[in-house]
Amino acid sequence: MPYFRNSHSSTIQVVGMYWDPQRCGQYGNYRTMGWWRIKPYERILLAPNNRQFFYWYAESDDGHKWEGRYGPVYTYLYPFDSCLQIGSTGAWKTVTMRPHDQYAYPGGVNVDI
């Protein structure tokens, strides 16, 4: 996953997903990870990998959400590292993701309203 920059005025939490058949081959081929907390105007590198596409979901402390149509992805109240098709009764909620093409936009994602 590439760099994420929080250009929103409130802290955001991010979940990511990328193609990883070696780790998640039996569970949908996509690895899911979260939560990263990113303060306003902070920029961080999320789980470096060399895949062209990754998918992301973010929500802010002030209630904004950045979601898409890919998923659903199970998330938890604590940091997690899982696979797309591994659900659990311990899951907090499901989210849907937005795509990002790292080759077309190598600078990463700028999260803003």
Side-chain angles (χ1 to χ4, degrees):
M1 292 180 201
Y3 285 95
F4 265 72
R5 178 176 174 78
N6 178 8
S7 294
H8 186 59
S9 60
S10 181
T11 298
I12 62 171
Q13 293 75 233
V14 177
V15 173
M17 175 175 76
Y18 64 93
W19 179 258
D20 189 350
Q22 184 174 6
R23 185 174 189 282
C24 295
Q26 294 179 318
Y27 305 103
N29 291 315
Y30 283 88
R31 186 174 184 177
T32 59
M33 303 171 82
W35 294 89
W36 288 273
R37 287 186 58 82
I38 308 172
K39 296 176 184 174
Y41 311 105
E42 183 177 41
R43 182 177 184 242
I44 67 168
L45 179 64
L46 304 184
N49 71 72
N50 61 357
R51 300 293 182 190
Q52 178 176 0
F53 294 99
F54 75 92
Y55 304 85
W56 63 279
Y57 165 88
E59 58 186 45
S60 66
D61 287 351
D62 64 0
H64 287 86
K65 293 182 181 179
W66 294 265
E67 51 196 336
R69 61 183 179 98
Y70 296 91
V73 172
Y74 290 92
T75 65
Y76 303 85
L77 283 171
Y78 47 85
F80 65 93
D81 184 350
S82 189
C83 298
L84 180 62
Q85 293 178 351
I86 295 179
S88 168
T89 56
W92 174 43
K93 64 180 176 179
T94 59
V95 299
T96 54
M97 307 256 185
R98 292 181 176 200
H100 180 79
D101 183 335
Q102 294 190 94
Y103 296 173
Y105 303 99
V109 174
N110 185 47
V111 180
D112 199 358
I113 295 179

